[in-house]
Amino acid sequence: MAPDGSFNDSLSDDESRPSIASNRLGPLTHHKKPEAGAPFNLIFVGAGNINFGSDEGPWDHSFRLENKLGPRLKVVAIIDPNEQVAQQRLDVKRSSFVEAAYRNTRICHSLEDFVTTMKDHERPHAFVVGSPAAFRGSTKQGRDFEMQVLKFFPKDTPAMFIEKPLSADTVPEALTVAKALVDSKAVVSVGYFLRYLRVVQTMRQIIEDNDLEVMAVNARYTCSYANIAKKAWWMKSKDCGPIVEQGTHFLDMYFGGDVDMDSVVAQALEWDEPAGQLSAVSVDEASIPEDDRIPRVTTASWKFETGAIGTFTHALVLQGYKYSCELDVLCDGYQLKLIDPYNAPELRVRTPNGDDEQVYRFDRDDPYASELGAWLDECDHGKAADDSAVADDDESYGILSSYEDAAKSYALSWAIRFASEANTQRFRKKEKKILSLDALKERK
C-alpha cells in the first residue's frame, strides 16, 4: 500500500511490464458487437493502472470489459482506500460514452465496507482484483481478499479475475487459498496473459497435433531496467524480487508439465558483486537496506517430472524500453522458438520436413482481451439459463490459467529465488573464509 493508503501506487508488476500493444483500440476493433442481456454486476478492486489504464502501457481491464460486455456492464463499486484516486477514475468514466456502466458506482474502502451497505440489486457477479499482491493470496488478516470473498459470499461465490503474482506470502499460504477457491467452485482466472497469445497457443497446438514429447525448454528474459522507477520493485520485501514478480510470466509458460521442485538449482549475480554494478538505476537504491536489494541476474535449471530439462535466465541489463525475451521448446525433430512476445510476438518452427523455419505472426492479437473474454464466457456459462451469455469470440480458448495451476508457477518462482539465495550465502561464506585465511597469512 502506498503511503497515502492507496492501492494504485504499488500494483503488482504492471507498471514495470513492457508494452505489448502500442494502440489499445486497434486489437478490439474486430470484436463482435456485445449482445444485450442481463446486467453483469462487477467490482473493481484497486483504482490503479492495471484496472483503469495509463499512458505507459497496454493494461486497462475496464476498457476491455466495457468493450466485451457493452450495455450489460454495471460497475457497482470500486474498492480502494484512496477515495480521491477512485473518484478521479469515476469522473473520467462518467464523462465518457460508458457513463451508464458507472452511473451508480460506489467507492468503498474495503470489501467489508461494501458488503455491510450492499443492496440486493448490487450483489456482484464478479470481482476484478488489481490490488497489490500483498493484499491477496493469503489467509492472514489484511492479506486475504479471496478468503474474505468466500466468507461474505459462502454460497454462489462471485467469480474472480486475479492479477499475478498470486501473493506476496509463502507458497503454503497461496496453496491453502488455492484449495479454498477450488472447493468453492467459483470461476477464477489469473492474469498470466502470455498464455493467451495466439503464437503460444500455436506452439501448444503443434506439440499436440504431432504427439510430441518435450525434451527441453530454454528461456531468456532480458529486462530493460533503467525505466523501472517503482521503488517496491527493487525491494525483495515488497515485490518479492524479479523472478517472483516478473520472470514468473515465462515460468508460467513452460511446456514441460509439472516440475520436480527438489531438482531446482539456481545462481544469482548480486548487487554488491563486481559484475553486478548497474549504472542507470532509476531509484535511490542506497535508501534500500542492503539485504533487501534484488539480484541483477538469476539463472536456474531443473527437471520436469517427465525427465525433460528446463532452464531460465532473467537479467537486468538493458536500458531502453523494449525487453528482449525468447523461449525455445525442443522436441524430437522440432524446435519451436517464441520471439519477442511483448512487442512483436513471433513463432519460428523447424520440423523434420526441412531446415527452413516456418514463421507464424498474428495481427491484432490482444491477449489481455482474450483472457478477460475467456473468463467472462465461463462466468456466463455458469449462470442461469435465462441470462444471456456473452457472445463467444472466434479465438476463445477458455480459461487457460486457473488459480491452482498459477499456484504451481508461484511455487517454482519461489523455489528458484530460495535456491539462488542459498547459493549466494554459500559463496559469501566461502569468500569470507578465504579472506580470513589471507589475513591470517599476512599476520604471520
Side-chain angles (χ1 to χ4, degrees):
M1 185 177 291
D4 62 2
S6 66
F7 286 152
N8 53 289
D9 288 333
S10 54
L11 290 175
S12 53
D13 72 323
D14 303 288
E15 292 180 358
S16 57
R17 190 156 63 199
S19 180
I20 199 166
S22 59
N23 183 347
R24 294 179 300 159
L25 284 170
L28 292 177
T29 56
H30 69 295
H31 280 207
K32 296 176 181 177
K33 180 181 177 181
E35 292 187 356
F40 190 90
N41 290 349
L42 185 140
I43 293 177
F44 285 110
V45 182
N49 292 347
I50 185 62
N51 280 342
F52 290 96
S54 74
D55 294 333
E56 300 161 354
W59 43 88
D60 186 341
H61 290 335
S62 62
F63 170 79
R64 291 170 173 85
L65 291 164
E66 291 153 9
N67 278 268
K68 179 73 174 178
L69 288 167
R72 295 185 60 203
L73 177 63
K74 303 299 176 187
V75 179
V76 295
I78 297 174
I79 296 176
D80 196 305
N82 191 329
E83 183 175 349
Q84 180 180 0
V85 172
Q87 188 62 54
Q88 289 171 352
R89 301 295 195 181
L90 267 183
D91 291 343
V92 171
K93 294 296 186 181
R94 286 172 175 170
S95 65
S96 73
F97 69 97
V98 295
E99 180 272 339
Y102 297 86
R103 186 175 299 158
N104 299 311
T105 304
R106 294 195 288 123
I107 297 173
C108 300
H109 289 190
S110 67
L111 177 59
E112 184 174 9
D113 180 24
F114 170 78
V115 172
T116 55
T117 57
M118 181 182 70
K119 298 178 176 60
D120 288 343
H121 71 274
E122 292 179 317
R123 192 183 197 284
H125 295 113
F127 293 90
V128 175
V129 185
S131 57
F135 296 92
R136 58 181 188 258
S138 175
T139 63
K140 298 172 185 173
Q141 187 175 1
R143 309 177 68 175
D144 58 344
F145 182 81
E146 299 91 345
M147 303 302 287
Q148 289 183 48
V149 172
L150 296 180
K151 180 181 74 172
F152 289 123
F153 302 97
K155 296 181 180 179
D156 193 20
T157 304
M160 285 176 263
F161 182 89
I162 303 168
E163 269 306 318
K164 49 63 54 194
L166 298 180
S167 175
D169 209 333
T170 65
V171 170
E173 281 287 306
L175 292 174
T176 299
V177 174
K179 183 179 185 308
L181 290 175
V182 171
D183 291 345
S184 76
K185 295 183 170 29
V187 176
V188 181
S189 180
V190 178
Y192 279 112
F193 69 100
L194 290 181
R195 287 193 179 205
Y196 294 82
L197 279 172
R198 294 178 68 186
V199 286
V200 172
Q201 288 308 303
T202 301
M203 293 174 75
R204 295 191 180 279
Q205 194 66 51
I206 291 171
I207 292 170
E208 182 179 331
D209 289 348
N210 293 279
D211 196 24
L212 301 177
E213 188 73 50
V214 172
M215 302 173 67
V217 183
N218 307 310
R220 176 176 57 80
Y221 195 116
T222 308
C223 168
S224 187
Y225 74 89
N227 291 288
I228 301 177
K230 176 184 169 189
K231 186 176 179 180
W233 193 86
W234 295 87
M235 303 170 67
K236 290 189 288 187
S237 64
K238 296 292 185 181
D239 281 2
C240 302
I243 296 297
V244 177
E245 197 276 345
Q246 188 180 74
T248 184
H249 275 294
F250 263 34
L251 298 176
D252 181 72
M253 276 200 300
Y254 276 117
F255 291 78
D258 288 340
V259 172
D260 177 357
M261 292 296 178
D262 292 334
S263 71
V264 175
V265 294
Q267 300 281 354
L269 169 63
E270 301 292 348
W271 67 272
D272 57 347
E273 296 180 290
Q277 305 304 303
L278 295 177
S279 60
V281 177
S282 57
V283 302
D284 179 14
E285 204 171 18
S287 66
I288 300 174
E290 293 185 352
D291 62 356
D292 201 17
R293 299 179 194 177
I294 63 175
R296 298 351 190 173
V297 179
T298 303
T299 184
S301 64
W302 58 86
K303 293 272 286 184
F304 292 100
E305 291 182 355
T306 62
I309 295 172
T311 64
F312 177 59
T313 296
H314 182 283
L316 280 63
V317 175
L318 304 178
Q319 295 184 7
Y321 287 91
K322 288 186 177 181
Y323 287 28
S324 176
C325 301
E326 293 186 7
L327 183 145
D328 282 355
V329 178
L330 306 178
C331 310
D332 182 20
Y334 288 79
Q335 181 182 33
L336 298 89
K337 294 192 296 185
L338 172 63
I339 300 170
D340 199 14
Y342 286 111
N343 301 292
E346 179 180 289
L347 172 62
R348 292 181 173 270
V349 181
R350 178 170 167 174
T351 74
N353 297 327
D355 295 340
D356 293 335
E357 294 180 325
Q358 303 169 15
V359 180
Y360 298 82
R361 302 186 189 93
F362 297 95
D363 296 331
R364 301 189 303 183
D365 186 17
D366 183 348
Y368 293 100
S370 297
E371 67 177 354
L372 288 168
W375 173 67
L376 288 172
D377 289 345
E378 189 66 27
C379 290
D380 268 332
H381 292 161
K383 291 176 65 179
D386 58 352
D387 282 353
S388 298
V390 176
D392 290 333
D393 287 335
D394 294 337
E395 301 300 334
S396 177
Y397 300 110
I399 291 176
L400 301 179
S401 184
S402 66
Y403 195 99
E404 60 270 34
D405 194 42
K408 295 179 182 179
S409 300
Y410 189 65
L412 177 57
S413 66
W414 272 103
I416 291 172
R417 175 178 159 177
F418 285 147
S420 68
E421 289 177 342
N423 271 325
T424 291
Q425 290 179 358
R426 281 192 288 270
F427 178 80
R428 286 179 170 164
K429 286 180 180 179
K430 180 180 178 181
E431 189 177 47
K432 287 180 180 179
K433 184 177 181 180
I434 292 172
L435 291 173
S436 296
L437 289 173
D438 288 345
L440 182 61
K441 289 177 181 177
E442 288 180 4
R443 285 198 297 270
K444 289 181 177 180

